[in-house]
Structure formats: structure tokens, C-alpha cells
């Protein structure tokens, strides 16, 4: 009995199995054990490990019964992680992070850098690079996987606005000898103010 099948396959893969006998008699049975199953004339990888195929032929009046085995190494299937998150944010902005695996297994998300993560939402806390990391540890059929995504966090640009009147008028020319007295505090300050106005001497705002 001759069994033709692949020497290796990934968990989840399906491969054809061909069994022939030197006698030309049909195969009596084909079974699988270990890390695989038989589906009709195909072998299906179930988990990582060794798959053993066993074929038998019961013989007849001219041929003895026969048995043959074939081993297939079933490997962990590679899984791909997808991370959906904005490529840039401003400081204090938030965004929902979505991470999935084509294996259907749950994905864990962590962040590092000037950002925080709460309930699947990332918040930018400062300017710089925020790294979002998705991990999946794998199982009996799937290998572990990691994916990262970097968010560029920037400060917001600020705008300064000046409010000025559209027009202004002058107070007129100051005459020689004029004294500009400021506030009431200036007028009541206990200090002697001396100036000459039209030839007179003024003290304490009195001339």
C-alpha cells in the first residue's frame, strides 16, 4: 500500500490523500489520528502536532491483507492582526482602537508613549509618538502574533487676536505752560507740585 500526502501542512489546511495498492485492490479503510482528521479522501489539519494516516487492505484469495502508515507534521497556522486607529491626533484628542485577528481569537491592546488607553479608547496626553501594540498569544492551532501602529501626536496651533478701535482722535496740541494732572490720586497726593504757569507758581494743584 502506498499513501501519497504532503509531509507538512498548517492547522486548518486541507490536503488530498491518494492511496494505492500493488494488487490493484481497493483500499479497505483510511483513518487519521493525532493532529488531523479525514474528510472523505482529504486530510484536515486540526492542531499543531503529528498526524498519522493509516490505510488498510483486507486482501482476497490471492493477496494477503496489508497495512500502511504515513505521518504528516501539522504546523501552527500564522495569524494576521489588523489594528484600526488614526495615524495622527492632537493633544487631548481621543480615538477608538479596533484590533482583530483573522483567526477569530481575542486580541489584547496596549499603548506606550504620550497616550493612555481606557475601555478601547486611546487618548493623547502629550506631543510625540504614541505606539499602539496588539498581541495574540495563539493556541493549539494558531501561532502567536504581534502588530504595532504609531500615532503622531501634535500640539494644537494657537491664534492670538488683537482688538483695537478702527479710528482714534488726538486731544489737540498742548500749550506751553500746561500741566497735565493725572488721576484723583495724583491731585490729592501729599507731595508738593511746583510748576510755572503763565509766570505763577502752583503748589498742591493751586496757583
Amino acid at each position: 500500500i502506498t499513501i501519497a500526502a504532503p509531509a507538512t501542512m498548517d492547522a486548518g489546511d486541507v490536503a488530498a490523500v491518494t492511496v494505492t495498492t500493488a494488487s490493484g485492490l481497493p483500499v479497505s479503510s483510511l483513518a487519521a489520528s493525532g493532529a488531523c482528521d479525514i474528510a472523505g479522501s482529504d486530510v484536515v489539519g486540526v492542531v499543531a502536532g503529528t498526524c498519522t494516516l493509516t490505510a488498510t487492505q483486507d486482501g482476497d484469495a490471492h493477496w494477503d491483507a496489508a497495512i500502511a502508515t504515513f505521518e504528516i507534521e501539522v504546523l501552527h497556522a500564522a495569524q494576521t492582526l489588523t489594528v484600526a486607529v488614526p495615524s495622527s491626533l492632537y493633544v487631548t484628542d481621543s480615538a477608538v482602537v479596533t484590533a482583530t485577528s483573522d483567526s477569530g481569537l481575542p486580541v489584547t491592546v496596549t499603548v506606550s508613549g504620550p497616550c493612555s488607553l481606557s475601555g478601547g479608547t486611546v487618548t493623547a496626553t502629550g506631543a510625540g509618538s504614541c505606539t499602539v501594540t496588539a498581541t495574540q498569544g495563539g493556541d493549539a492551532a494558531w501561532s502567536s502574533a504581534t502588530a504595532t501602529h504609531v500615532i503622531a501626536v501634535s500640539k494644537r496651533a494657537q491664534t492670538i487676536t488683537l482688538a483695537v478701535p478702527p479710528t482714534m482722535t488726538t486731544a489737540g496740541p498742548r500749550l506751553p505752560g500746561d500741566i497735565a494732572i493725572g488721576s484723583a490720586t495724583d491731585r490729592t497726593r501729599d507731595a508738593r507740585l511746583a510748576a510755572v504757569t503763565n509766570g505763577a507758581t502752583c503748589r498742591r494743584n493751586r496757583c
Side-chain angles (χ1 to χ4, degrees):
I1 299 176
T2 302
I3 302 175
T8 61
M9 63 188 304
D10 288 341
D13 285 354
V14 178
V17 178
T18 302
V19 183
T20 58
T21 64
S23 65
L25 296 173
V27 175
S28 301
S29 66
L30 176 63
S33 62
C36 59
D37 282 332
I38 288 293
S41 60
D42 294 332
V43 60
V44 180
V46 178
V47 295
T50 301
C51 162
T52 301
L53 302 179
T54 302
T56 62
Q57 212 299 314
D58 294 336
D60 61 7
H62 303 284
W63 296 90
D64 289 331
I67 185 171
T69 61
F70 186 91
E71 289 189 348
I72 301 173
E73 188 65 23
V74 181
L75 308 175
H76 285 93
Q79 58 178 319
T80 301
L81 305 185
T82 301
V83 181
V85 70
S87 59
S88 62
L89 289 173
Y90 287 113
V91 177
T92 71
D93 279 355
S94 297
V96 175
V97 178
T98 302
T100 58
S101 170
D102 59 357
S103 68
L105 297 173
V107 178
T108 300
V109 177
T110 58
V111 298
S112 60
C115 53
S116 61
L117 183 68
S118 177
T121 298
V122 61
T123 300
T125 57
S129 295
C130 167
T131 301
V132 179
T133 303
T135 57
Q136 213 302 309
D139 62 6
W142 297 89
S143 59
S144 60
T146 301
T148 59
H149 185 94
V150 177
I151 303 173
V153 182
S154 304
K155 292 182 179 180
R156 297 178 185 274
Q158 60 176 324
T159 301
I160 299 176
T161 302
L162 296 177
V164 296
T167 59
M168 297 180 66
T169 58
T170 62
R174 178 173 295 176
L175 297 176
D178 284 354
I179 298 177
I181 305 301
S183 64
T185 301
D186 295 329
R187 292 192 297 272
T188 59
R189 183 177 302 153
D190 188 17
R192 295 179 180 275
L193 175 63
V196 176
T197 303
N198 296 324
T201 299
C202 297
R203 298 183 184 279
R204 295 189 181 180
N205 301 339
R206 296 179 182 178
C207 298

